[in-house]
Amino acid sequence: MIADLKFNFYTNLMALILDGKIARDSIAEKLKNTFLGLGVPPQLAIIQIGNRDDSNAYIAQKKKFAEVIGAKVEHITFDESVRKEDVVRRIEELNNNASVHGIIIQLPIPQHLDEYELVEKVSPQKDVDGLTSTNLKLLWSNKQGGFVPATARGIVSLLDYYKLPLAGKRITIVGRSILVGKPAVLMMLNRDATVTVCHSGTCNLEEDTRHADILIVAIGKPKFIGKEHVSSKQIIIDVGINLVSGQSLEEEIEGTQLVGDVDFDAIKDVVSAISPVPGGVGPMTVASLFENVAEAYTMQINS
Ligand code: NAP
């Protein structure tokens, strides 16, 4: 791997592919070994409201990964028209259930419900999506003991796996969502990177993307980032998951019909390293979620 890196940085003939499946499998192996010796397996509760195809596919991935590593998943479903009070009651039951170590609300949820209000009901000790104000505050203040949203953690883990340092690097993040962009900004700052954040109101995007050592893109626009946005020696992390129209999500998740926010083919010979879609950040997100579950488990049994 190190030899590959040298090859790419010094000759720049072709990009190093930051393979999230390989990194995910290494995390899976560690989690599996940790969970083997436990009497009570770690358990994640997933609350799903409605029946979106994309949510169904993401939940299926989480269940599959849990099976591989020996964790349990309780999948709780509510009808699209559920009342807030019924969801809150269920969250409180899960908060008080000692055999449940992590709780997530699969987002997005129907519009009549306020996602911030519901997420805030999850006990911070079980908030493995890292979205409660307690966990966000810990991230803001760069303190240990909280949970970081899984995709942001997955991005950092992927870079760490390939031994790509963050400290002192210029990192541009395109996208400022609460789930991906903003937590990624904070994680990078906490790792001593110099961070530029871009969004739909950014003027001269190319200027901000081209000057970065590491470019992270999370905008939800298929193949939006092209040759004009990048320069040689850059590391590109493509977070986007965009479906080719006419395909079912299930097929897309399982197969190769997804495209990222980056035009992979157009830039792969220009940059130093790039994460593919599928097979880059996606697998890392699932693995990172269960790393959070493992940490929640440890904290709860030790408290
Ligand atoms: P989101 O909530 O829709 O946010 C999109 C962000 O991109 C916003 O901040 C928006 O700016 C910005 N943006 C949109 N168009 C832009 C443009 N032309 N130039 C610059 N910025 C632009 O999306 P998200 O939840 O962060 O997800 C982003 C992508 O990542 C999606 O494809 C999603 O499916 C994918 N995703 C992948 C994973 C994974 O595990 N790989 C996990 C989560 C999400 P404004 O704030 O100005 O509107």
Side-chain angles (χ1 to χ4, degrees):
M1 187 174 69
I2 301 296
D4 280 354
L5 267 179
K6 282 186 181 146
F7 174 77
N8 278 284
F9 283 128
Y10 297 129
T11 66
N12 207 27
L13 285 178
M14 59 175 283
L16 168 72
I17 304 301
L18 305 175
D19 189 325
K21 288 185 185 166
I22 294 176
R24 172 204 58 197
D25 290 347
S26 131
I27 294 171
E29 200 53 34
K30 278 186 208 142
L31 290 175
K32 196 173 161 182
N33 289 335
T34 310
F35 292 176
L36 264 179
L38 303 174
V40 181
Q43 180 166 203
L44 171 69
I46 303 176
I47 297 175
Q48 182 182 19
I49 305 168
N51 190 28
R52 290 173 58 111
D53 284 347
D54 54 354
S55 294
N56 290 337
Y58 292 133
I59 291 169
Q61 285 183 329
K62 288 164 190 163
K63 287 181 174 172
K64 198 168 156 188
F65 188 81
E67 212 175 306
V68 169
I69 61 171
K72 279 174 75 180
V73 169
E74 185 181 5
H75 181 190
I76 297 145
T77 55
F78 286 106
D79 190 77
E80 168 113 30
S81 60
V82 68
R83 292 178 329 135
K84 175 184 84 180
E85 294 72 20
D86 295 331
V87 183
V88 170
R89 195 173 320 114
R90 194 70 178 95
I91 293 172
E92 282 164 356
E93 281 169 18
L94 295 167
N95 283 341
N96 294 323
N97 181 346
S99 65
V100 171
H101 307 96
I103 303 169
I104 63 167
I105 299 171
Q106 186 69 42
L107 300 174
I109 58 176
Q111 282 198 336
H112 72 280
L113 298 166
D114 179 339
E115 69 182 45
Y116 294 103
E117 193 184 348
L118 283 185
V119 162
E120 202 57 21
K121 300 290 177 195
V122 174
S123 157
Q125 288 74 36
K126 298 190 179 186
D127 166 33
V128 287
D129 252 350
L131 294 174
T132 57
S133 51
T134 303
N135 283 315
L136 290 175
K137 191 173 168 193
L138 288 167
L139 179 59
W140 267 94
S141 46
N142 193 13
K143 291 209 170 110
Q144 302 299 308
F147 301 108
V148 179
T151 304
R153 180 172 182 162
I155 294 168
V156 172
S157 294
L158 185 62
L159 291 163
D160 285 348
Y161 182 81
Y162 283 95
K163 300 192 167 31
L164 300 168
L166 302 178
K169 299 297 175 193
R170 286 170 305 182
I171 300 185
T172 294
I173 300 180
V174 191
R176 57 176 167 182
S177 70
I178 185 116
L179 262 186
V180 185
K182 283 178 182 156
V185 169
L186 291 166
M187 282 196 85
M188 303 297 162
L189 282 177
N190 292 345
R191 294 279 294 263
D192 293 333
T194 301
V195 185
T196 301
V197 191
C198 301
H199 44 79
S200 62
T202 299
C203 303
N204 301 324
L205 182 66
E206 293 96 326
E207 224 170 80
D208 288 311
T209 55
R210 287 174 64 88
H211 86 270
D213 300 310
I214 302 175
L215 173 62
I216 299 170
V217 189
I219 59 176
K221 299 243 156 86
K223 299 188 181 183
F224 182 86
I225 296 292
K227 246 182 179 165
E228 68 279 18
H229 295 98
V230 301
S231 52
S232 63
K233 303 210 171 113
Q234 279 188 317
I235 295 162
I236 312 290
I237 302 291
D238 187 356
V239 184
I241 297 181
N242 304 291
L243 300 176
V244 178
S245 59
Q247 304 280 331
S248 87
L249 184 67
E250 205 102 15
E251 278 172 325
E252 299 294 324
I253 294 282
E254 289 298 323
T256 54
Q257 300 303 309
L258 289 173
V259 294
D261 291 341
V262 172
D263 190 344
F264 183 91
D265 290 329
I267 70 164
K268 70 177 192 313
D269 298 329
V270 177
V271 299
S272 275
I274 181 167
S275 70
V277 177
V281 175
M284 295 304 291
T285 297
V286 182
S288 300
L289 171 67
F290 281 92
E291 286 187 302
N292 282 350
V293 173
E295 286 167 13
Y297 179 95
T298 306
M299 278 191 237
Q300 285 159 44
I301 57 164
N302 289 334
S303 69

